[in-house]
Amino acid sequence: MRARLVLVAAAALSLTACSGSPAPPGEEVEGTLTVFAAASLTDAFTELGEQLEEENPGLDVQFSFAGSSALATQITQGAPADVFASANETQMSVVTAAGLADGDPEVFTRNVLRIAVPEGNPAGVTGLDDFAREDLALAVCAPAVPCGAAAEKVFASAGVAARPDTLEEDVRAALTKVELGEVDAALVYASDVAAGGDAVEGIAFPEAERAVNDYPICVLASAPNPTAARAFVDLVLSAEGRRVLTDAGFLAP
């Protein structure tokens, strides 16, 4: 596997912007492609990156998966990347409102919150009200992160005074605490419950439908490898991209 995680570079380079134009026909897709993507996209995007590499032997796809707020900040500070995929439109607007957009980002999938508990649900969690219990160890995402903003919305909708013990920097960090049994429950996305496999159980709750996150994606106009960037975005937006995403627990846009 050559698609791999890389650290977000904070070096100040030329400012970037979004572009949704398709990959020019006939251009060779090669070199290094760097994709900044929300942590919840780790599994689906890694699979799509591997597919693109298989189709283009001269291409090396590298990913930086993190909280969308951190990635948006890095982009506005000039960090080099080819593609940005955010877990909500608010963090994408950080990039576009800064004057970096060269087109409208496209929504390619959606996601909804689920309660994640360790296998067997040892604490007997049944719903959102349990996040107000002082006797439970609970994790949610920090408010600046899309999953945290969605959590605040569902708590307000349900009238729950949540008492989280930890605020995580991205949704995969919250999921990991559940997988390791460090918390009794966490609010994560439905796709993260799927990624947790047998180590995690998911509990749906009605208020989640009031905080569904749309995921936008864009090519960065000053991308070091714009041809590869457009090829990746095209793949994400394709029928094959949608299949990979829905198989990973995401919703159709």
Side-chain angles (χ1 to χ4, degrees):
M1 177 196 304
R2 290 182 292 123
R4 57 185 181 274
L5 308 186
V6 296
L7 295 176
V8 178
L13 298 181
S14 59
L15 294 180
T16 54
C18 297
S19 173
S21 57
E27 286 198 32
E28 192 167 358
V29 180
E30 59 184 2
T32 299
L33 169 67
T34 302
V35 178
F36 281 15
S40 52
L41 292 164
T42 299
D43 300 278
F45 267 28
T46 298
E47 180 176 344
L48 290 172
E50 290 172 349
Q51 287 188 25
L52 196 62
E53 286 182 335
E54 290 175 3
E55 296 165 2
N56 301 276
L59 181 65
D60 178 20
V61 184
Q62 300 183 349
F63 292 100
S64 181
F65 295 111
S68 298
S69 57
L71 296 173
T73 298
Q74 293 292 336
I75 291 170
T76 61
Q77 291 177 348
D82 297 294
V83 174
F84 177 43
S86 173
N88 69 5
E89 294 181 300
T90 299
Q91 294 306 321
M92 179 62 78
S93 72
V94 172
V95 174
T96 59
L100 307 181
D102 186 28
D104 294 328
E106 296 190 58
V107 172
F108 64 96
T109 196
R110 309 171 81 213
N111 219 341
V112 64
L113 292 177
R114 291 286 184 268
I115 299 170
V117 298
E119 180 184 9
N121 192 9
V125 173
T126 60
L128 206 59
D129 287 344
D130 289 309
F131 279 80
R133 289 173 55 184
E134 294 184 3
D135 61 314
L136 296 182
L138 303 164
V140 299
C141 294
V145 183
C147 60
E152 287 194 329
K153 188 177 294 186
V154 298
F155 286 139
S157 177
V160 173
R163 300 173 180 270
D165 296 279
T166 179
L167 298 175
E168 298 300 321
E169 63 183 10
D170 64 57
V171 71
R172 283 303 172 93
L175 177 67
T176 296
K177 288 192 175 293
V178 178
E179 293 173 321
L180 297 176
E182 295 179 0
V183 296
D184 297 304
L187 272 187
V188 301
Y189 294 119
S191 60
D192 298 295
V193 172
D198 293 338
V200 173
E201 296 179 13
I203 300 171
F205 55 96
E207 294 83 4
E209 299 303 323
R210 302 174 191 174
V212 178
N213 280 12
D214 290 332
Y215 282 52
I217 191 169
C218 71
V219 174
L220 301 173
S222 295
N225 194 343
T227 299
R230 294 184 185 112
F232 182 78
V233 171
D234 288 347
L235 177 59
V236 170
L237 296 172
S238 71
E240 173 63 11
R242 182 171 296 185
R243 181 196 66 76
V244 169
L245 287 158
T246 53
D247 285 352
F250 290 88
L251 304 174

